[in-house]
Amino acid sequence: MTPRERVLAAFQHKPTDKVPIHDVGFSSYAASIILGREANVGGGIQRWRESKALWEGEDAHKEYLEKNNRDALDLSMALDHDILRLQYWRMSEKPAQKINENTFLYGDPEKNWRVMRFDPDTELYQITDQYPPAAEDTFESIEKTIAAQERSLENYHPATTASPHTQSLMDKYGKNWVVRVGGGGLGISYKTLVWLEAIAVRPDLVARHLDVQTEQAIKALPAIAAAGVKMIFGGGDFASDHGPFCSPESFHELMLPRLKRISDACHKCGLYYLFASDGNLWSVADDLFGNSGVDGFYEVDGRAGMDLRKLRERFPRLILIGNISSHTLHTGTKKDVIRETMSCLDEARRSGGIIVGVSNYILSGTPEENLWAMIETIREHR
């Protein structure tokens, strides 16, 4: 089977010649170990790298983009992935000032700016100072933001064809591999208390916020499908190890109908719709994995209780991607890693419809022997 045939067979619950493989994401640290060179993949580090390249000029930025493409492809090929992740985090805003090698200022240095600093150990790139200081969200402020989003949506007319970059990736690799393409994101912010309060006190605001996301997602789907894309990687984190940040009732009223609309629109375009979230999702599982029409679940967080066998028994048609824990890789022993990897491979062979891999980013600082233990176990036993 080609990798694309293998993945599509898994989605159709047909036999595969070997277990399909896809890791959700890599830190630059982990990717560099695998490739034996500094690898341009990752999260915050990629935003810092792009800021640095933009600061250094057009040629440096072009070189940065070329290295991104080469390293993401080489990483997937080195690991024999069946789904190719060829795009990582970006940041196209050019800095206004370079403060030091790891720190840049953005915006107007006189009246409206923010400073971002890169931490090499964690690979995070975060705001450390800004002016004016960030105001605390209120119901009034988020309502103004939502109203602006709604006005913007009225003038949102996505292209009738996919971006040149996406089309190029599909033309080069889409015949033999599934190319991972994002879309269909849907979520409620959990980073400020006011949004969590709004779920209970102002659900009308939350509904409007989700409606904007839903309409944007649906409008973008035809062009993505026309490029030959077969599946959309969407979703949005909304849970911890202890459960979702909203009640099952709120999820049913607010998230479910919008998820159903996106799923139906994907199916109309011939696309599979995949949803991602970390955490324990059992309290909303019937709506999320059954009633919504979602085809697949990635970032399957086994450490939070999202067990492959239990999911398969309860949702026989749901495609599952992931379940090797980045936490086990980062803090466990080599034996722990081998045992967890083998458990996922065994369940994939037993149940079908499972694509094995790391459920989230392989973190910076992950022991090298653990990383190779996972890779070699998959190579030997898939």
Side-chain angles (χ1 to χ4, degrees), residues 147-183:
Q149 292 171 343
E150 290 169 336
R151 290 192 296 272
S152 177
L153 181 62
E154 293 175 2
N155 298 314
Y156 176 60
H157 301 291
T160 56
T161 58
S163 71
H165 183 61
T166 297
Q167 188 64 64
S168 173
L169 294 178
M170 291 303 303
D171 290 344
K172 290 179 181 177
Y173 310 112
K175 182 178 180 180
N176 292 316
W177 288 269
V178 169
V179 177
R180 179 171 160 180
V181 175

Side-chain angles (χ1 to χ4, degrees), residues 4 24 63 84 89-90 100 137 160 237 242 247 257 278 376 380:
R4 180 182 174 89
V24 170
E63 182 179 340
L84 305 183
W89 290 17
R90 294 286 309 275
N100 58 45
D137 280 333
T160 56
D237 287 336
H242 305 291
S247 69
D278 296 321
E376 290 165 3
E380 184 176 350

